[in-house]
Amino acid sequence: MVALTPLGNLPYPQPADNADIPVHLQSLAEAVDGRTVLRFADAAARDAKVTDPIPGMVAWLNNPGRHYYFTAAKQWAPLSLGPAHWSSTLSGTTTSTAYVETLTGATDPFALTFIAPPYGAAVLTIGARFNNSAAGLAYFSASVKQGTRVVTAAADSRAAVVGGTNQVTASIQFPLTGLTAGAAYTVTGAFRTTAGTATFTNRYLTITPMI
């Protein structure tokens, strides 16, 4: 009767078992197979092959070049995530009193894509050096989307704010919670002014996973 190792439950034959080496090796190989780092071209290839994943499984995907593990919540999530960062030194302006995601004179796509961490929470930091041509206020916020769905909209309560004509570097941090582990999200900068022309430069976005 085949016995099992005490920690990994791997099968091994007993002296009374039939001396069928190929069968014993196959049983051991199949037991080890799901415990190794699996390798696939992408998520579609992984899901086609691993139809009944078990929490704790680890897989490497050539695209996007990252390790994933299957969580207790029955989802594939990135094994390890570090901060994601985007920045630009281009200067742009807006006269809009409602939030806009583009600036006149700045042609860069001011957006940052990140993968939600296993616990579904991250901290977003946004900042820039900016000022206003008048005595009004200039706001720099951001929207967060999953695909086309807006998860967190730009808002004054989540914005760095500068008043007056002197250039000032300002930033703000706020948490993003309730994210779907392993899903892709996009953060896009958003800008507005209460009066005059607001000018923004040295803009940046940083996502720091909460673990």
Side-chain angles (χ1 to χ4, degrees):
M1 180 178 180
V2 173
L4 300 176
T5 58
L7 298 180
N9 289 326
L10 301 177
Y12 62 92
Q14 296 295 288
D17 292 336
N18 293 329
D20 194 334
I21 293 178
V23 169
H24 295 315
L25 288 177
Q26 179 181 351
S27 297
L28 178 60
E30 290 176 351
V32 171
D33 193 29
R35 292 168 169 80
T36 60
V37 177
L38 309 174
R39 295 170 176 82
F40 303 99
D42 51 29
R46 176 199 64 201
D47 295 343
K49 193 75 172 180
V50 187
T51 56
D52 189 22
I54 298 171
M57 278 186 169
V58 177
W60 167 264
L61 304 185
N62 289 337
N63 182 16
R66 188 186 300 271
H67 283 99
Y68 289 78
Y69 76 103
F70 198 68
T71 71
K74 308 296 185 181
Q75 294 175 321
W76 287 102
L79 184 61
S80 178
L81 287 172
H85 181 76
W86 189 98
S87 63
S88 174
T89 58
L90 293 181
S91 180
T93 64
T94 186
T95 58
S96 175
T97 57
Y99 278 107
V100 292
E101 296 182 350
T102 58
L103 292 171
T104 301
T107 58
D108 48 11
F110 192 42
L112 170 67
T113 299
F114 71 97
I115 303 297
Y119 294 103
V123 174
L124 171 59
T125 304
I126 60 177
R129 189 174 74 220
F130 53 112
N131 69 326
N132 211 328
S133 66
L137 299 176
Y139 290 84
F140 172 27
S141 185
S143 65
V144 182
K145 300 175 184 178
Q146 183 182 17
T148 59
R149 181 176 68 90
V150 177
V151 176
T152 301
D156 291 352
S157 59
R158 294 185 294 273
V161 186
V162 167
T165 59
N166 291 329
Q167 281 198 337
V168 177
T169 298
S171 65
I172 188 173
Q173 289 185 320
F174 55 89
L176 303 175
T177 58
L179 305 175
T180 300
Y185 291 83
T186 301
V187 181
T188 305
F191 315 87
R192 82 178 192 92
T193 180
T194 59
T197 300
T199 301
F200 301 83
T201 189
N202 291 350
R203 297 159 290 139
Y204 67 88
L205 304 167
T206 301
I207 285 286
T208 304
M210 298 174 64
I211 58 174

